[in-house]
Structures are given as structure tokens and as C-alpha cells.
Amino acid sequence: MSLPLSRFVPDNFTLALIVTVVLASVLPAQGQVGVAFEWITMAAIALLFFLHGAKLSRQAIIAGATHWRLHLLVFSLTFVLFPLLGLALKPVLSPLVTPELYLGLLYMCALPATVQSAIAFTSLARGNVPAAICSASASSLLGIFLTPLLVKVLLDTQGDAGSTLDAIQKIVLQLLVPFIAGQVARRWIGAWVARNSAWLRYVDQSSILLVVYTAFGNAVLEGLWYQVPWPALVGLVVVCCIVLALVLVLSTWLARLFGFNKEDEITIVFGGSKKSLATGVPMAQVLFASGSVGAMLLPLMIFHQIQLMVCAVIAARYARRADTL
């Protein structure tokens, strides 16, 4: 059975990201307008994580938590294998991109896994969905603390003397506190959030688009597109494909090596190969200077689209497998 062409076409959100980058390149926010956008962006980030907290049930966090071997492998892929690949492949990857894009690739490697797409692909492929929910949710929470530490190790935070502790403090205030507030408010608004999840999704996406517009606008004013030649962008696509291919192959091999069944293997492959755009964009806003955020996000944005297209194909192949009892 051939796959429909639509699986390889960017989704509406990806198209919106492209339009946002173009708009920020042509019409970046400057002066007082830029300051206003900075404040609006901070509020949008807080709202984004508040809604994440309100949507995530405690039962989902607890469900499947006893499957510790699976979660340990997924976390190892996310927070150990990815960073090690980014460092080990430097002689191969760095000649293909600019130094700034390579740092952005390392930042991407330090990020937690996605929540929505990891669960969606696991469900489509008929994998262990409860374990995927638990693993992806825990990865997102762990990333609040682990990502700044990994960024410090991998990038040395560009010599910013603000220290890892300062970065974690900023992330806790801007991301974790709103998330906890959402968890607390869940008892009153959880049912409403569940009923309105379809349109609240656009609040999430609008928050990310706003951060991308602000970040790329600042980067353009700092001369981003003069620093990133077109051959480096093509090289970045190749680099993202190489990293994703290696992680997919290694995650599948490790899942089988450790004796996981097919449903668990699916959860490991889709949970361990993803990097979160929803978490990575606001975190970059906190961790890096405003002028450098655009270059840091380019690898993540390209990797995001590639992982969606490739994993859609893999999920469809998993879904067509014969059931074995």
C-alpha cells in the first residue's frame, strides 16, 4: 500500500511557522513595539505552560509509571544519546553548517521529548499508549531541570556568567510555576479544558508563533540572514536527517536488545526520537540572548518537520503489522 502524498506535505502549523519567520524577517518588531512584544511573549509563555498543567491529569502521570525499564530507556535516549551524538558527530556535522547552527543543533539535542506527537504516533502505530503518556509527560517535566544543565555542558552557555542555577531559576519562574498553577487550577477548570481542547490547541500554537516572531525579529535585527548562507541551511537539513536516522535505528535496536515487546518498542521509538518545539521555543527565549535565539531555533524547527514526516511513515508501517497473540 502506497502512502498518501499528504503525509509528506507540511501541516498548517508548520506553514504558519514559515509565514511567521518570513514576517519577522521582513517586518521585525523594533523600539517600543519590540519591548511590548517581549512582555506579551512572556505572558504567552506563562499561559502556554498554565494550560499544559491544566490539561495533564495526575492519573496520566501515574499511569504506567511502574514500567520503569521502558521509561529509563526513553529518558536515556532523550537526555543521553541525543547529546552524545551531537558531540560525537561534530567532525561530520560542523562542516555542513555554520558554528551558530551547530550550537543550535546541540541545544536541540538537550531538549525533552514532545508530548502530543509522541502519544499520537504511538496510538496510530498501536503501541503502548498509557506508557507513552507517562513517559512523554515526565520527559517534559524533567526537561525543565535537565535541559539547562545539558545546555551548560554542551554549549557552556556562550560564556554567560549568569550560571546554570540562574537559568534554572528563570525557567522555574517562567515555565514550572505556571505549570504548577495549572495543575492546582485543574480541579476547577480541568473539565472545561478537556471540553475545549480542540480550540485551546490554537492558543498553544499562537503562543509558539508569537515567541518565534519575537525571537526571529530580534535575530534579523542582529543580522541573522547575513550570518546564515543558503548552503548552510541545506546542510542543516542533511544534518537533521542524519541525527534523526541514527536515533531511530539505535532506539529500535536497543528496544529489541532489551527484550521489549512490539507495543513497548513503538513507544520507545516514538518517545525517544522526538524533540519538543513547544518546550524548546520558550526555553530558548529564557536561556539565550535575544539576538541569538533565532539561530538557536532554526535546527529545532527543521528537525520538527522532518521528524513529523518520517515518523508518520514509520507509524503507518507499524500499524499495518499483523497482530500476534
Side-chain angles (χ1 to χ4, degrees):
M1 183 190 298
S2 61
L3 288 166
L5 184 61
S6 60
R7 291 195 182 277
F8 299 94
V9 177
D11 58 16
N12 291 335
F13 179 58
T14 300
L15 293 175
L17 276 174
I18 295 171
V19 171
T20 301
V21 170
V22 172
L23 179 62
S25 300
V26 176
L27 194 64
Q30 304 182 54
Q32 291 301 314
V33 175
V35 173
F37 264 95
E38 293 284 352
W39 283 100
I40 295 171
T41 297
M42 290 176 62
I45 291 171
L47 176 62
L48 174 68
F49 277 80
F50 176 83
L51 289 174
H52 279 318
K55 285 187 290 188
L56 187 61
S57 70
R58 293 173 184 83
Q59 291 80 8
I61 297 174
I62 296 171
T66 55
H67 205 345
W68 63 270
R69 290 176 64 247
L70 181 148
H71 303 315
L72 183 60
L73 180 53
V74 171
F75 298 156
S76 297
L77 292 168
T78 302
F79 296 114
V80 179
L81 177 64
F82 259 105
L84 288 178
L85 281 177
L87 288 175
L89 292 174
K90 182 178 181 180
V92 177
L93 303 182
S94 57
L96 299 175
V97 295
T98 64
E100 293 78 14
L101 291 180
Y102 176 69
L103 292 179
L105 179 75
L106 290 180
Y107 170 64
M108 180 200 77
C109 289
L111 288 170
T114 60
V115 177
Q116 290 92 339
S117 63
I119 297 169
F121 283 127
T122 299
S123 176
L124 175 63
R126 296 188 289 134
N128 188 338
V129 175
I133 293 171
C134 178
S135 181
S137 303
S139 176
S140 186
L141 291 175
L142 284 172
I144 291 176
F145 302 99
L146 291 180
T147 294
L149 294 172
L150 287 171
V151 166
K152 179 65 177 176
V153 172
L154 295 173
L155 281 72
D156 201 25
T157 319
Q158 297 254 311
D160 187 354
S163 82
T164 305
L165 186 60
D166 188 41
I168 292 176
Q169 184 181 31
K170 290 180 180 179
I171 288 175
V172 166
L173 287 175
Q174 294 190 30
L175 308 186
L176 185 59
V177 170
F179 181 89
I180 293 173
Q183 277 280 290
V184 173
R186 178 178 168 76
R187 61 181 299 182
W188 298 288
I189 67 172
W192 179 84
V193 169
R195 287 196 307 271
N196 295 277
S197 59
W199 71 264
L200 284 175
R201 175 169 61 96
Y202 296 107
V203 176
D204 286 6
Q205 294 179 353
S206 298
S207 300
I208 295 171
L209 292 174
L210 181 59
V211 176
V212 168
Y213 172 76
T214 305
F216 270 86
N218 288 329
V220 168
L221 294 174
E222 294 285 336
L224 170 67
W225 296 122
Y226 295 103
Q227 302 167 11
V228 182
W230 285 106
L233 289 177
V234 175
L236 182 59
V237 174
V238 174
V239 164
C240 289
C241 290
I242 292 172
V243 172
L244 180 61
L246 287 172
V247 172
L248 287 170
V249 169
L250 288 171
S251 61
T252 304
W253 176 71
L254 288 170
R256 294 174 182 176
L257 177 68
F258 291 119
F260 289 98
N261 61 33
K262 186 61 69 176
E263 288 73 24
D264 288 346
E265 175 190 316
I266 290 168
T267 302
I268 291 165
V269 169
F270 291 125
S273 63
K274 300 283 183 299
K275 287 296 176 178
S276 175
L277 186 70
T279 302
V281 170
M283 271 196 177
Q285 191 80 8
V286 176
L287 288 172
F288 305 110
S290 58
S292 65
V293 174
M296 300 302 291
L297 288 178
L298 267 178
L300 175 61
M301 293 173 64
I302 292 174
F303 186 86
H304 172 77
Q305 180 56 38
I306 294 172
Q307 72 181 10
L308 291 181
M309 293 189 296
V310 172
C311 288
V313 176
I314 296 173
R317 293 189 63 179
Y318 270 126
R320 291 196 301 269
R321 74 187 186 280
D323 288 313
T324 57
L325 301 177

